[in-house]
Amino acid sequence: PPCPWRYFLSMLRCRCMPLALLAGLSLWSSDAVLPSQEEYDRSQLCLAEGRRLDYTAATAEEDLPPCVDACPDGSEVVGLQCARPASADEVRLRFRLFQECQQLSACEWLNDWELHLEIIGMKLAQFFGLPVDELQGAILFYPAQSAPPLATFTVVRRDESDFLEGRRLYGRSRSLLSEEPYRVHLAFRVDSTRLTLSSPEVLLVKSSSPQVSAAVGVAMDVQFPEADSNAWSDQTWVEADFK
């Protein structure tokens, strides 16, 4: 069964399947082609049948990772996922996505954001070639009128110096009811030994390249990217270790 996602103003992490999908979504672009409900259902059926989703495969914007019986040569099996193989060190990549929707019609996806956030999470994992449990993220959206500037919005881990200073935000699910601009902020982090600081995907995020938007099929601005590398550790982290 689908996981009980908690997205709005909260840390995103799935509790019930090997797919801890964390996702972010911004304003629909006029030429964006996101995967459909039917395509999403196909991916879930694949997992229910015990097959694997190949996150190393490139697909069109409207397609989620293909369902395969065996992972391709050169990839690594991670649960029910195919991912790029691990290297020696761990890369931490943090960035923010932003969009201001100028009218209600441009933000209609927020009325069904749970589905679309899961879908974009899968597309981001596919962009990096990673299993989705190596991404964490959070979403914050609110009316733009008279809203104060957002000073900081990031995902931190317990072993980081700013963990005690941060606080976890929670809020209720809501729909858009008024014709007014909305600001959408999405904070992401990747902690993975499958990337390096010179990986093309990392460089694209660090340069705030529009190719990130093209890869996932939504129009968004990449903001505040930062990347560093740490020595590999066998430390495991749980949801409470992030906020």
Side-chain angles (χ1 to χ4, degrees):
C3 293
W5 303 106
R6 295 184 302 115
Y7 291 102
F8 186 74
L9 293 177
S10 64
M11 176 61 60
L12 316 182
R13 195 153 191 173
C14 169
R15 298 169 179 266
C16 64
M17 290 179 65
L19 296 176
L21 292 177
L22 311 179
L25 183 58
S26 187
L27 170 66
W28 295 86
S29 66
S30 58
D31 56 351
V33 183
L34 289 172
S36 64
Q37 172 76 64
E38 292 72 22
E39 177 68 2
Y40 172 78
D41 291 342
R42 176 198 64 79
S43 70
Q44 299 307 294
L45 178 60
C46 173
L47 298 175
E49 293 175 342
R51 303 172 72 194
R52 296 180 173 90
L53 292 175
D54 183 6
Y55 283 91
T56 67
T59 62
E61 290 177 351
E62 64 269 24
D63 296 329
L64 290 171
C67 183
V68 298
D69 294 314
C71 290
D73 293 341
S75 66
E76 182 177 326
V77 179
V78 184
L80 295 179
Q81 305 162 91
C82 307
R84 65 201 305 171
S87 58
D89 295 329
E90 179 186 70
V91 165
R92 181 190 71 169
L93 176 64
R94 298 198 295 190
F95 58 98
R96 205 157 84 193
L97 306 180
F98 170 77
Q99 187 59 263
E100 184 165 318
C101 305
Q102 295 297 328
Q103 55 189 1
L104 184 61
S105 59
C107 288
E108 285 181 339
W109 63 270
L110 288 175
N111 291 318
D112 196 12
W113 49 265
E114 290 177 287
L115 169 66
H116 293 126
L117 284 172
E118 292 191 33
I119 288 174
I120 297 302
M122 297 174 76
K123 293 300 289 184
L124 284 172
Q126 189 177 7
F127 172 70
F128 289 113
L130 304 178
V132 290
D133 49 321
E134 293 184 5
L135 293 88
Q136 286 77 37
I139 179 172
L140 173 66
F141 59 91
Y142 51 85
Q145 187 174 7
S146 302
L150 183 62
T152 303
F153 186 43
T154 189
V155 181
V156 295
R157 199 171 65 185
R158 187 175 298 277
D159 62 332
E160 296 168 348
S161 60
D162 49 355
F163 181 83
L164 295 178
E165 301 172 4
R167 61 189 180 94
R168 190 173 283 111
L169 297 178
Y170 294 97
R172 64 182 180 87
S173 173
R174 59 169 296 175
S175 297
L176 304 185
L177 301 177
S178 59
E179 186 72 30
E180 60 182 318
Y182 266 73
R183 290 178 183 165
V184 184
H185 299 270
L186 302 124
F188 285 95
R189 71 175 290 150
V190 173
D191 295 279
S192 180
T193 59
R194 306 173 199 281
L195 298 172
T196 69
L197 294 179
S198 59
S199 294
E201 299 82 7
V202 174
L203 295 177
L204 287 173
V205 171
K206 289 180 63 178
S207 65
S208 300
S209 171
Q211 292 186 50
V212 178
S213 174
V216 298
V218 292
M220 56 191 176
D221 296 328
V222 181
Q223 299 182 335
F224 309 107
E226 58 180 71
D228 52 45
S229 181
N230 301 303
W232 180 86
S233 171
D234 61 358
Q235 173 72 50
T236 58
W237 305 99
V238 297
E239 180 180 0
D241 292 321
F242 295 91
K243 67 180 180 180

